[in-house]
């Protein structure tokens, strides 16, 4: 059975782009349009990989990533961040949340800044999923 | 008992008079000649002295002079021989208070003594009164000096430059801050310069007019102006002035100056740093927006490629739509950026604000209906034709109205009857208030705070984050204000106040 990959992004165009790359490369894509519904779907579908945007309404990628990595059952789910936000901005906000009293969490496996080439995205997905 | 000194070289007279005076109740001290009389005087300090004029050794005139030297207040009664007018006059010249003729009659003596006593008492009273008066004058002088010093200190240590003139506008007070502002020394100004030499012509003219009582103006309200300093620098100041009056008559003027250089410098710096911060945010926000658009375009081309290569028209169409959407986003971003970066003066022309508001409602009508949002118009009929920039008003209202519809659209509580109200109110002082309220999503304080300042969007990919920045800029260029009240879950109200000019017709 092909591996399940969840795309969480509020931008339908970005989802369509990622979903198409996934389909073309033989994965089973799932979609969520914000952090909240993304988390529900992660719990329900147990995807192998999550492609996560950062800036979204109703729970941002910063928060969702933190919840994933601090939940026992979910912390091993692999995550690719795909965002228009620079990596250092994302890491800075994670650091701020850690200092604010949150747990220390690992950096994401892969951080991609938009825009990405479809080939690059496909390669990274293959690499992460082994 | 009252003390008096009696001096006579004839022992009989001395004894008889002493007895007589003692019988009248006086405490009599007697002396047989002038020299002993003076010794007794110094010892006993009587208020009244009676002395014979003709005495061997020190005569009566000498005694009189000596006693007056010792205590000028002493009353000296001279006993003269009958018809000795010359000596009597001499005695009066030297301050004798009275004289009686020999032989001394009791009646004459007691009259002379009573008069002497009265004179003495009056003189004492006068003296006390004078001393008291002098003390009071002294106290008053000290008080006046203290107050005057206090006022001088007050003027000297004031943070305002103070320049006072007399009624001919000649400068009479010029404090240290005034010196800092104008650059002239007090020696160059006080009693040397006229208000017109130091102040801008219009200020001097206003003070002159106020001195003359024109238009009954006594105070010139604070205003900003520029003065020329000694070095020829133009210095921004705040100025106010007042006319000094005494018994309703003008006696001079006072002008107060506040140095605005530091404030102006800080204002400029603040503006600059704000602009730099805005540019920084703009670039960061812009980069984010452009990255997303590029990503969308890459995604679109990817789908089109697949569609062409595999001959899948579905992918082709989806990819093409994606490209078109992202071209649209590019154009929105560029248009917003353009209107934000463009400095522009409002172009005032006759227009009907209610008509503009109505047009905007028509424009967002479809968007509202698609999302089940009811539009309510509440226009103030007293607003007629005014001079405003109709394009600014239109863009401001359109931005805020479509935001309001969006706020309903984003609200997940679908049980609400969504409603967007556009209200116009004719305020006094030539101001039109536009009130745009919705009962949608609302915002917390953190979001409301960032609204106008940053490249901030809650709409995810739908917003450029520039809309409200543009809106605020348009309103401020129009010398208006915008305020927001919002409660999460309850809705948001934007209040825009824009002034209009009166139509010239």
């Amino acid at each position: 059975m092909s591996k399940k990959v969840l795309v969480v992004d509020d931008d339908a165009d970005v989802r369509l782009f990622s979903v198409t790359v996934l389909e073309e490369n033989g994965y089973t894509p799932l979609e969520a349009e914000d952090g909240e519904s993304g988390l529900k779907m992660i719990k329900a579908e147990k995807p192998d990989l999550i492609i996560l945007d950062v800036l979204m309404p109703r729970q941002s990628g910063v928060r969702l990533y933190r919840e994933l990595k601090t939940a026992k059952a979910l912390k091993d789910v692999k995550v690719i961040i795909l965002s228009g936000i620079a990596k250092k901005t994302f890491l800075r906000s994670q650091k701020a949340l850690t200092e604010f009293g949150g747990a220390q969490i690992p950096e994401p496996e892969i951080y991609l800044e938009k825009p990405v080439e479809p080939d690059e995205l496909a390669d990274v997905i293959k690499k992460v999923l082994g | 008992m009252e003390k008096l000194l009696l001096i006579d070289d004839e022992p009989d007279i001395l004894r008889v008079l002493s007895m007589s005076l003692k019988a009248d109740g006086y405490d009599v001290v007697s002396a047989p000649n002038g020299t002993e009389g003076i010794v007794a005087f110094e010892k006993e300090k009587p208020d009244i002295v009676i002395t014979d004029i003709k005495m061997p050794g020190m005569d009566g005139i000498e005694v009189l002079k000596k006693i007056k030297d010792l205590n000028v207040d002493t009353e000296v009664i001279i006993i003269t021989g009958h018809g000795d007018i010359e000596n009597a006059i001499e005695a009066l010249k030297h301050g004798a208070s009275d004289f009686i003729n020999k032989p001394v009659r009791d009646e004459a003596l007691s009259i002379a003594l009573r008069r002497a006593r009265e004179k003495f008492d009056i003189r004492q009273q006068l003296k006390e009164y004078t001393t008291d008066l002098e003390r009071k004058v002294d106290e008053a002088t000290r008080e006046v000096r203290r107050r005057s010093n206090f006022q001088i200190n007050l003027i000297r240590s004031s943070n305002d430059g103070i320049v006072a003139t007399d009624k001919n506008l000649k400068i009479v007070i010029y404090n240290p801050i005034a010196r800092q502002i104008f650059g002239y020394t007090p020696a160059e100004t006080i009693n040397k310069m006229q208000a017109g030499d130091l102040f801008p012509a219009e200020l001097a003219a206003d003070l002159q007019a106020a001195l003359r009582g024109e238009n009954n103006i006594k105070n010139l309200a604070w205003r900003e102006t520029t003065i020329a300093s000694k070095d020829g620098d133009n210095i921004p100041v705040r100025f106010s002035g007042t006319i000094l009056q005494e018994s309703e008559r003008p006696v001079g003027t006072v002008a107060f100056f506040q140095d605005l250089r530091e404030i102006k410098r800080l204002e400029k710096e603040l503006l600059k740093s704000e602009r730099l911060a805005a540019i920084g945010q703009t670039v960061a926000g812009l980069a984010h927006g452009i990255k997303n658009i590029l990503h969308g375009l890459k995604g679109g081309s990817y789908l089109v490629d697949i569609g062409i290569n595999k001959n899948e028209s579905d992918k082709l169409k989806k990819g093409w739509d994606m490209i078109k959407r992202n071209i649209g986003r590019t154009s929105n971003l560029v248009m917003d950026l353009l209107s934000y970066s463009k400095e522009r003066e409002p172009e005032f022309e006759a227009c009907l604000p209610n008509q503009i508001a109505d047009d905007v409602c028509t424009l967002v009508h479809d968007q509202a209906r698609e999302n089940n949002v009811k539009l309510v118009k509440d226009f103030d009929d007293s607003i007629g034709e005014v001079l405003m920039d109709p394009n600014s008003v239109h863009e401001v209202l359109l931005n805020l109205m479509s935001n309001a519809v969006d706020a309903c659209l984003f609200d997940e509580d679908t049980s609400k009857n969504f409603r967007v109200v556009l209200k116009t109110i004719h305020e006094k002082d030539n101001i039109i208030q536009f009130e745009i309220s919705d009962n949608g999503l609302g915002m917390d304080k953190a979001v409301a705070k960032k609204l106008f300042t940053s490249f901030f969007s809650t709409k995810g990919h739908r917003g450029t984050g520039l809309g409200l920045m543009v809106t605020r800029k348009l309103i401020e260029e129009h010398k208006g204000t915008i305020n927001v009240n919002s409660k999460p879950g309850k809705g948001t109200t934007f209040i825009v106040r824009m002034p209009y000019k009166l139509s010239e017709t």
Side-chain angles (χ1 to χ4, degrees), chain B residues 115-131:
Chain B
R115 282 210 304 238
R117 166 56 34 197
E118 279 170 4
K119 267 170 143 182
F120 183 85
D121 287 349
I122 288 171
R123 182 156 330 128
Q124 278 316 105
Q125 278 174 12
L126 198 66
K127 198 174 169 188
E128 271 169 34
Y129 181 72
T130 312
T131 314

Side-chain angles (χ1 to χ4, degrees), chain B residues 274-498:
Chain B
E274 267 179 4
R275 203 165 49 226
L276 282 177
I279 290 170
Q281 280 168 349
T282 307
V283 169
L286 193 59
H288 180 244
I290 290 171
K291 279 172 173 180
N292 277 324
I293 290 168
L294 277 178
H295 190 76
L297 288 171
K298 280 193 196 291
S301 342
Y302 174 58
L303 262 74
V304 169
D305 279 345
I306 297 175
I308 291 168
N309 291 339
K310 300 193 176 172
N311 209 10
E312 288 180 32
S313 64
D314 175 48
K315 285 257 175 356
L316 197 60
K317 185 178 181 312
K318 276 183 181 167
W320 181 235
D321 285 345
M322 206 159 146
I323 288 169
K324 283 194 287 193
R325 270 198 300 278
N326 282 286
I327 289 170
R329 284 165 72 180
T330 311
S331 123
N332 284 344
L333 186 61
V334 170
M335 293 315 285
D336 277 358
L337 259 184
L338 276 181
S339 45
Y340 183 61
S341 55
K342 198 166 54 185
E343 297 256 342
R344 92 179 249 289
E345 285 291 308
E347 286 162 15
F348 286 86
E349 54 184 87
C351 59
L352 295 159
N354 285 344
Q355 182 63 53
I356 300 171
D358 197 54
D359 290 347
V360 169
C361 287
T362 310
L363 276 175
V364 295
H365 181 260
D366 285 351
Q367 185 198 351
R369 200 182 48 192
E370 277 169 24
N371 297 293
N372 266 331
V373 178
K374 189 172 179 237
L375 284 185
V376 181
K377 298 182 236 183
D378 181 1
F379 298 158
D380 185 340
D381 289 337
S382 73
I383 304 173
E385 190 177 88
V386 295
L387 287 181
M388 292 178 96
D389 183 335
N391 292 323
S392 295
V393 176
H394 188 271
E395 196 169 342
V396 164
L397 293 183
L398 185 59
N399 270 338
L400 292 174
M401 284 296 281
S402 49
N403 275 356
V405 174
D406 276 350
C408 298
L409 161 66
F410 282 123
D411 195 348
E412 285 180 324
D413 181 1
T414 45
S415 68
K416 281 188 192 170
N417 290 319
F418 289 119
R419 193 169 42 80
V420 168
V421 185
L422 175 53
K423 194 171 174 183
T424 62
I425 300 164
H426 199 171
E427 288 191 13
K428 58 179 169 43
D429 299 330
N430 298 351
I431 286 172
I432 309 252
Q433 177 182 323
F434 299 97
E435 195 181 291
I436 300 96
S437 50
D438 66 70
N439 61 344
L441 200 54
M443 291 172 281
D444 59 28
K445 286 215 169 75
V447 172
K449 222 176 123 185
K450 280 192 271 187
L451 268 189
F452 304 104
T453 53
S454 71
F455 215 111
F456 179 83
S457 177
T458 54
K459 297 187 197 171
H461 65 278
R462 280 176 48 110
T464 59
L466 276 167
L468 278 175
M469 284 170 86
V470 171
T471 303
R472 187 175 78 158
K473 177 175 167 282
L474 287 171
I475 293 167
E476 286 178 352
E477 280 170 350
H478 209 287
K479 307 277 181 248
T481 59
I482 179 165
N483 289 295
V484 61
N485 292 314
S486 189
K487 279 213 175 92
K490 298 278 182 213
T492 304
T493 301
F494 281 93
I495 294 166
V496 176
R497 288 194 171 83
M498 290 169 96

